[in-house]
Amino acid sequence: MRRALTAALCLLSCMVACGTPPADRTPAPDAPFHDVSSRVPTGTAPAPWPENIGSFLAVDNVTKGEALLFRRDTSSMPASISVVGFDSASTRVSLRDVRAVPCATRALLRVNGAPAGWSVALDSARARPVLIDALEDLSRADSQRVVVRIQRVLNALPDSGDAMEFRGLPVVVRDAWVVRLPSGPITVARGARLRNLEATAHEELRFIILENDQPRYIARVAGDEEVVESWDLLAAVVTDRGPVLAVAREGTRSLQLELVALERGSWRSIWRSDALTCASGK
């Protein structure tokens, strides 16, 4: 997944204009958890920049030595930069430069002194990283138990109207992460159902957050296997307003950064980078 994410970053950094996909549908007020999809009413206003994470975030491109930069103010330069990964280590680095290519809202950040394996650069004065264990970091027995619990939850979810063609098909867990929050661990996972057709294959992907084996946040998308959007967990941080997950939403020609936060006891999407676009014709 990290290799695919790097390819998407390379593509996105060269694009002059970036489309704005629809934001997530708001679930019913009485829903036991947030169940969102890629389809929402058009014209939804972009969410404001989340002040609790600081003034910027950047997603690393491991092959090019630069990161895709997202910031509250495109005229400001990042300060107090730290890079983080899954190991909860935060390494202070210095700014080398920021290149507004192809435009200020799709700028590229380069830093000095970063160790290998980091995924996100952030404002160290506002956010602190959290330890994440991927499945391969766990013992074989523990990883199997995690997968079984995730499958049990995903297979029990009701099918939405857009995914009735997958009804009865089992969910395969593609990736899973145990996030060690100060309040206790949560599990984040990505699962899929595949339906082979004559000329192509259709796929439904699900991104889920579990607390005590109970679903607290679900995102789903379905479509042709070659073009369906996916998700990847980049980092988890704690801010003065609570934990935040940095998630990559990757399509065939797009990559958006999404922040999913725990607010007032509920996990919800608080910001997506599709609010930032390059002006056409630049």
Side-chain angles (χ1 to χ4, degrees):
M1 185 64 187
R2 185 66 172 156
R3 187 176 303 166
L5 178 61
T6 297
L9 272 166
C10 293
L11 173 64
L12 186 57
S13 65
C14 298
M15 294 173 65
V16 174
C18 306
T20 306
D24 287 329
R25 179 185 65 218
T26 303
D30 58 349
F33 51 85
H34 283 280
D35 189 348
V36 297
S37 72
S38 293
R39 295 185 177 181
V40 278
T42 58
T44 302
W49 180 266
E51 299 292 337
N52 56 311
I53 66 166
S55 60
F56 72 93
L57 278 176
V59 180
D60 180 40
N61 182 332
V62 295
T63 62
K64 299 188 68 175
E66 57 195 12
L68 188 61
L69 176 63
F70 306 98
R71 46 188 168 168
R72 177 181 54 205
D73 180 359
T74 57
S75 65
S76 66
M77 299 296 284
S80 302
I81 307 173
S82 290
V83 296
V84 303
F86 281 9
D87 60 1
S88 79
S90 177
T91 302
R92 187 72 177 266
V93 298
S94 60
L95 175 67
R96 183 187 305 175
D97 59 30
V98 170
R99 295 184 294 145
V101 178
C103 65
T105 57
R106 285 291 187 257
L108 300 177
L109 169 74
R110 294 193 296 179
V111 299
N112 296 316
W118 69 277
S119 56
V120 171
L122 48 76
D123 186 346
S124 57
R126 301 296 300 272
R128 303 175 301 280
V130 174
L131 176 66
I132 299 175
D133 287 325
L135 282 181
E136 56 266 27
D137 300 322
L138 304 174
S139 69
R140 183 182 180 90
D142 286 344
S143 64
Q144 288 177 339
R145 281 192 288 268
V146 169
V147 169
V148 168
R149 294 201 302 267
I150 295 168
Q151 287 177 322
R152 184 181 299 120
V153 173
L154 289 177
N155 284 319
L157 293 175
D159 290 316
S160 62
D162 295 335
M164 294 305 293
E165 65 174 299
F166 302 96
R167 189 170 187 175
L169 295 177
V171 176
V172 176
V173 176
R174 293 277 179 85
D175 295 288
W177 305 269
V178 179
V179 182
R180 310 291 182 178
L181 296 178
S183 58
I186 63 170
T187 302
V188 181
R190 186 170 63 99
R193 293 192 293 180
L194 188 66
R195 180 170 179 257
N196 291 314
L197 304 175
E198 290 184 2
T200 185
H202 285 185
E203 186 175 46
E204 184 206 35
L205 292 180
R206 298 177 176 186
F207 182 79
I208 188 170
I209 298 174
L210 301 175
E211 290 181 343
N212 298 319
D213 292 344
Q214 297 298 314
R216 294 293 178 246
Y217 179 90
I218 285 283
R220 318 188 204 200
V221 65
D224 289 346
E225 182 185 20
E226 297 299 323
V227 299
V228 69
E229 186 183 51
S230 187
W231 296 269
D232 192 22
L233 180 63
L234 299 175
V237 299
V238 174
T239 72
D240 57 1
R241 294 185 183 178
V244 178
L245 304 180
V247 179
R249 295 175 64 112
E250 182 187 346
T252 54
R253 292 183 54 82
S254 66
L255 175 71
Q256 297 124 33
L257 177 65
E258 181 166 22
L259 301 178
V260 181
L262 180 61
E263 293 187 339
R264 297 183 295 277
S266 178
W267 288 95
R268 63 185 69 237
S269 176
I270 61 171
W271 182 82
R272 283 178 63 181
S273 63
D274 53 2
L276 305 177
T277 60
C278 296
S280 60
K282 293 290 185 180

